[in-house]
Amino acid sequence: MRLMQVCAAVAVLWAGSAAAIGPDSYDDIPYFGASYLYELPDSDRDSDNGQGFQLHFGLPLQEQGLPRLTPELTVHSLARKRDVDGKKDYQTAVNLDLIYDLGSLGEGYKFKPYLVGGLGVVQNDVRGNKHERLGVDFGAGLMLPLAPWLDWHGLAARVEARALVSINDDSTENAYPIDYRVTAGLQLPLFFLFPEHHPVVPAAPECELAVVDPDTGRADCSADSDHDSVPDSADQCPGTVQGMAVDSRGCPSAPAAAEAPLLSVQFQENSSQLDAEATKRLDSVASTLQAQANLSLQIIGNADSQGDKSYNLMLSQERADAVRQYLIGKGIDGSRLVTSGRGEFYPVASNASPEGRAENRRVEFKLIVP
């Protein structure tokens, strides 16, 4: 009974930290995992090796500027056969752990090693005598993405090894028994529990005569050529980039535009060359700057986490410079274009998958309004 109360308290504390972060701030989707567990118990336990299961629920902190850290709630339960009579002893534990991602490794197929450690409560049921102890666990593991075969981003196999140290307050017992366990299982992203990560497209308004966008097929009651939600009939600043913050006239909103990121362009791996899709988007940016002579632009280069950090910093700067030169070639005064490279330190997606790394190889824009 006491273990259940402590477990509930740990869960409440963990949930409270999750609520403080807020569901809208997740970069990676929270996940659930289940694993088979095999244990090598401390020699003082006088029992065979244990078997059972382990469950974990994680909440990535990438969006909070901590791309390598994930708080994780872990529960495990196992049984061991006693040497003296062949009957079983049991162990159940709940831990609040912290995962530290060591980054992706490997050529072609990437796997991800990590370190894990935390605190919790351990209940041992030995010959019907239950007692709870403070526990400290630590270890390491590997995340093996299954998306290349199953085409489901975030699904992964997971193997790990941990040591669990129980802290006994009974002088007749081993003060710090150490149990070792190895687990293997699956980790599943919880997309279906967090629908706020999937934007809802509003229904098209009903009207007598709809205007159909030839590119997207969307039907509206009036034309909106630059997709800023201000109809062309009332838009005093046509040609603004889609996603730019505008006021009721369809013109860039000074306070919001200074902070709001515009569309981005992507790059191939280890490259700062602009492809056809990138130049098409940059042509739209150039049109906006030509129409709004009072605006300047901050051009921010980024990279994925492949390779050396210093090289990625240089590559991100080269990408920003390539974009600046293209815009200058389109007639934009270079004094209105400021560049910076941020390397791999500001990802917008997980670097564990090819799709995520492609999103991180990008140049972003921020408007500078006087």
Side-chain angles (χ1 to χ4, degrees), residues 13-28 30 57-66 69-72 96 98 194 196-197:
L13 289 174
W14 188 92
S17 65
I21 294 168
D24 292 334
S25 63
Y26 301 146
D27 191 317
D28 285 352
F57 177 68
L59 182 73
L61 297 182
Q62 186 163 333
E63 185 67 17
Q64 287 69 46
L66 300 171
L69 297 179
T70 299
E72 193 172 84
L96 181 60
L98 192 63
F194 295 87
E196 65 272 11
H197 289 278

Side-chain angles (χ1 to χ4, degrees), residues 131-154:
H131 54 274
E132 291 81 26
R133 299 288 185 264
L134 176 65
V136 179
D137 74 340
F138 55 89
L142 284 177
M143 197 75 67
L144 305 169
L146 300 179
W149 301 286
L150 300 181
D151 194 27
W152 191 350
H153 177 68

Side-chain angles (χ1 to χ4, degrees), residues 2 13 49 66 101 134 142 149 155 166 175 208 214 265 312:
R2 185 168 54 174
L13 289 174
N49 297 338
L66 300 171
D101 179 4
L134 176 65
L142 284 177
W149 301 286
L155 182 66
S166 299
E208 294 182 3
V265 295
N312 288 336

